[in-house]
């Protein structure tokens, strides 16, 4: 998922530093610790200057298809 965001950024001549906001939607609250572990591991790589964009985390009933468990919306300033 984040690799797709990275590809979209690259195609626009941008990078992670252009991200100004994330909204993350999780279907199951028990996935919060796993997401937070991922974030602790990956955000320092994505944002080496330590300036992380805000990330609103929402727990929702479901996404459009049952098998989808997480969705991320990214807003970039180009």
């Amino acid at each position: 998922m984040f690799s797709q965001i990275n590809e979209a950024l690259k195609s626009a001549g941008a990078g992670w530093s252009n991200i100004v906001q994330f909204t993350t939607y999780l279907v199951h609250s028990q996935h919060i610790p796993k997401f937070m572990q991922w974030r602790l591991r990956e955000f320092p790589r994505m944002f080496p200057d330590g300036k992380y964009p805000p990330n609103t985390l929402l727990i929702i009933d479901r996404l459009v298809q049952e098998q989808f468990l997480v969705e991320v919306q990214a807003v970039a300033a180009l």
Side-chain angles (χ1 to χ4, degrees):
M1 174 178 333
F2 281 85
S3 62
Q4 293 169 331
I5 295 169
N6 190 39
E7 291 303 315
L9 289 166
K10 283 184 187 177
S11 74
W16 291 113
S17 63
N18 294 97
I19 296 290
V20 296
Q21 179 184 356
F22 286 118
T23 303
T24 305
Y25 303 88
L26 294 179
V27 174
H28 302 295
S29 62
Q30 61 265 34
H31 291 156
I32 294 172
K34 189 173 184 179
F35 172 74
M36 297 308 286
Q37 288 174 349
W38 179 89
R39 182 184 152 106
L40 284 172
R41 184 185 70 238
E42 297 299 324
F43 268 34
R45 294 177 192 168
M46 295 161 61
F47 306 99
D49 62 1
K51 296 178 183 175
Y52 302 162
N55 187 167
T56 301
L57 177 59
L58 301 169
I59 307 304
I60 59 172
D61 183 50
R62 65 170 283 179
L63 291 165
V64 69
Q65 294 184 23
E66 291 262 344
Q67 70 267 24
F68 297 159
L69 302 176
V70 62
E71 180 173 319
V72 175
Q73 175 185 8
V75 178
L78 303 177

